[in-house]
Amino acid sequence: MNIEEILDEIDELLDNSTSIPFVQHKKIIDGERLRELVNDVRLNMTQELKEAKEIERESQRILNNAKASAEDIVRRAEDRASQLVEHEKIVVEARKKAIEILTKSQNSSKVVQQNAALAVAKMLNEAENHYNKNLQNIKAVKARIGANLKASTTFKNDENM
């Protein structure tokens, strides 16, 4: 029997006992039975107190484990958040660096293209000038040959006449 049941039995013992005449609040009870029930309460109290203390210790242990676990989870979450923030910073820096490198590369490419275009234009101008000089030389030689031909034809015509 547990303490609740024993207390219920004590209540029943009191309810079923007879009252003393002229004094309603006093009762005649079976003292031996009451003594047994009180002893049962004492015996059960010791056991139930032990169980209650054990339950309290176990509850405290579970609570401490839960607190430690919660603190560990919070610490790991903070670490992870810190890593994510750090990773985000790295990604942002990498993107900035990539944009900077791309911009420099594009600018360098434009400069190289402009320089190449200028070099090609210069070479074409030089080639054009060279070919114009050669063309002038060819025209001059052609004119001399034409003049020589005319002179030699005139000289032959003068001889034949």
Side-chain angles (χ1 to χ4, degrees):
M1 248 196 283
N2 65 29
I3 292 179
E4 278 295 316
E5 291 170 341
I6 296 168
L7 290 173
D8 287 343
E9 203 169 314
I10 290 173
D11 272 342
E12 192 177 315
L13 181 65
L14 287 171
D15 289 343
N16 293 334
S17 61
T18 46
S19 296
I20 297 177
F22 305 113
V23 185
Q24 287 295 326
H25 67 280
K26 294 194 179 193
K27 305 247 181 183
I28 300 173
I29 58 167
D30 182 356
E32 219 172 282
R33 180 67 185 136
L34 183 58
R35 177 78 55 210
E36 286 174 10
L37 292 171
V38 169
N39 285 335
D40 285 348
V41 167
R42 283 190 180 123
L43 290 173
N44 280 317
M45 271 183 69
T46 305
Q47 183 60 32
E48 287 189 19
L49 284 174
K50 284 181 187 176
E51 288 175 13
K53 285 181 182 180
E54 182 60 33
I55 289 170
E56 182 184 13
R57 277 194 297 273
E58 185 64 16
S59 295
Q60 192 62 42
R61 185 189 64 75
I62 290 170
L63 184 61
N64 288 341
N65 286 345
K67 282 181 183 177
S69 179
E71 288 171 359
D72 185 50
I73 289 169
V74 168
R75 183 187 46 75
R76 285 186 295 166
E78 287 172 346
D79 289 347
R80 181 70 177 134
S82 176
Q83 289 172 352
L84 288 174
V85 166
E86 197 60 37
H87 178 71
E88 183 65 25
K89 286 180 185 176
I90 291 170
V91 168
V92 167
E93 277 301 314
R95 282 187 181 143
K96 284 181 184 176
K97 195 70 169 173
I99 290 170
E100 183 181 311
I101 290 170
L102 183 62
T103 302
K104 283 182 180 178
S105 297
Q106 289 172 339
N107 290 339
S108 293
S109 173
K110 285 178 185 176
V111 167
V112 167
Q113 286 175 349
Q114 289 171 347
N115 287 342
L118 288 173
V120 167
K122 182 179 176 184
M123 288 191 309
L124 289 174
N125 282 337
E126 287 173 0
E128 182 182 18
N129 290 337
H130 180 70
Y131 287 121
N132 281 336
K133 280 183 188 176
N134 284 339
L135 183 61
Q136 287 173 359
N137 286 339
I138 290 171
K139 285 182 181 179
V141 168
K142 190 175 162 187
R144 273 186 274 156
I145 291 174
N148 283 341
L149 276 175
K150 232 183 197 188
S152 103
T153 311
T154 312
F155 179 67
K156 277 189 180 187
N157 280 341
D158 287 345
E159 278 183 8
N160 284 339
M161 275 201 226

